[in-house]
Amino acid sequence: AQSVTQLDSQVPVFEEAPVELRCNYSSSVSVYLFWYVQYPNQGLQLLLKYLSGSTLVESINGFEAEFNKSQTSFHLRKPSVHISDTAEYFCAVSEPGGYQKVTFGTGTKLQVIP
Amino acid sequence: EPEVTQTPSHQVTQMGQEVILRCVPISNHLYFYWYRQILGQKVEFLVSFYNNEISEKSEIFDDQFSVERPDGSNFTLKIRSTKLEDSAMYFCASSAGGGVVNTEAFFGQGTRLTVV
């Protein structure tokens, strides 16, 4: 069985400061890894994903995450946050293949302070 | 870009009533899923559906829940007799299935169910 651990339930950070949201996973097989963002009272938006290839993946709004197999991690980073980044971020894992049951972490609330 | 659509976006129902949540998965996808997110909590897997039958279900998916693909496009989640604790956001998802590689599940925007 797969699991995802997000140790930080809340991360406050000042605007324009860097941020790292931590994610560790547990799986006995290969994995696909995802970060989803959820704004208040809204649905899930896929922020970025690792399926194969380069271990460093980027989103269009400046976030990046690096798949580290030896540390079983997929931490999310942004060098300079904006107020609009305030949201909850969920790390998630699935197994490669057509069947895509996704296991989510408990989420990290990013609070950007002006 | 193809997307998963869910209706309604919000539903309020009285305790004990039956409710049906509807989803239109991406047209050529073969696997369909329902997830639940209770307010302030993580997203939890409920059930997956393939080839017109349930392929996997979680402990949450008890006899009060059922899923159906009534036609070639819709995928529904029925809760027979709603309880207050069924209040949550429900997400539908679909994935390609088969021999497709390097592809993920696509999620709908969710239906917020409020049981009063």
Side-chain angles (χ1 to χ4, degrees):
Chain A
Q2 298 173 319
S3 65
V4 178
T5 300
Q6 294 180 253
L7 287 175
D8 304 311
S9 59
Q10 294 192 57
V11 173
V13 62
F14 285 104
E15 194 174 14
E16 297 184 5
V19 70
E20 178 181 82
L21 306 184
R22 295 180 294 166
C23 171
N24 288 89
Y25 69 91
S26 173
S27 177
S28 58
V29 297
S30 300
V31 293
Y32 289 165
L33 292 158
F34 310 91
W35 277 99
Y36 289 87
V37 58
Q38 187 175 39
Y39 298 99
N41 297 312
Q42 294 191 24
L44 297 169
Q45 295 180 30
L46 180 64
L47 187 61
L48 44 76
K49 62 187 178 186
Y50 168 78
L51 304 183
S52 67
S54 173
T55 57
L56 182 65
V57 291
E58 299 176 350
S59 72
I60 58 173
N61 57 352
F63 282 94
E64 66 177 32
E66 186 161 19
F67 169 49
N68 187 320
K69 189 175 181 179
S70 63
Q71 297 187 4
T72 60
S73 68
F74 191 57
H75 302 329
L76 181 69
R77 301 183 184 95
K78 190 171 184 179
S80 176
V81 295
H82 301 131
I83 291 289
S84 59
D85 294 324
T86 295
E88 189 155 20
Y89 293 79
F90 291 93
C91 183
V93 64
S94 68
E95 290 185 19
Y99 181 54
Q100 282 295 305
K101 175 188 172 185
V102 180
T103 300
F104 288 84
T106 50
T108 298
K109 289 183 180 173
L110 175 62
Q111 300 168 290
V112 181
I113 305 163
Chain B
E1 183 176 316
E3 59 180 13
V4 176
T5 57
Q6 291 186 241
T7 55
S9 56
H10 293 90
Q11 172 123 22
V12 180
T13 189
Q14 289 202 327
M15 191 170 54
Q17 294 295 305
E18 175 184 285
V19 67
I20 297 176
L21 309 183
R22 303 180 191 279
C23 168
V24 178
I26 294 172
S27 63
N28 60 346
H29 281 185
L30 300 179
Y31 277 101
F32 315 113
Y33 315 82
W34 283 103
Y35 292 79
R36 179 182 81 176
Q37 184 185 30
I38 294 172
L39 186 64
Q41 299 186 24
K42 72 174 182 179
V43 180
E44 301 172 289
F45 169 79
L46 287 178
V47 65
S48 59
F49 192 84
Y50 174 75
N51 200 24
N52 285 320
E53 61 183 24
I54 291 173
S55 53
E56 186 176 354
K57 61 182 180 180
S58 71
E59 294 175 351
I60 304 168
F61 193 86
D62 61 22
D63 292 343
Q64 292 293 320
F65 292 93
S66 62
V67 290
E68 192 177 30
R69 189 154 163 83
D71 53 42
S73 60
N74 289 284
F75 179 52
T76 62
L77 174 69
K78 182 192 291 186
I79 309 174
R80 279 193 196 84
S81 177
T82 49
K83 302 186 280 279
L84 294 176
E85 53 264 39
D86 294 326
S87 295
M89 181 79 95
Y90 289 83
F91 293 103
C92 174
S94 68
S95 65
V100 179
V101 295
N102 287 345
T103 184
E104 73 270 28
F106 292 80
F107 284 80
Q109 283 303 296
T111 293
R112 181 167 297 285
L113 176 66
T114 302
V115 182
V116 297

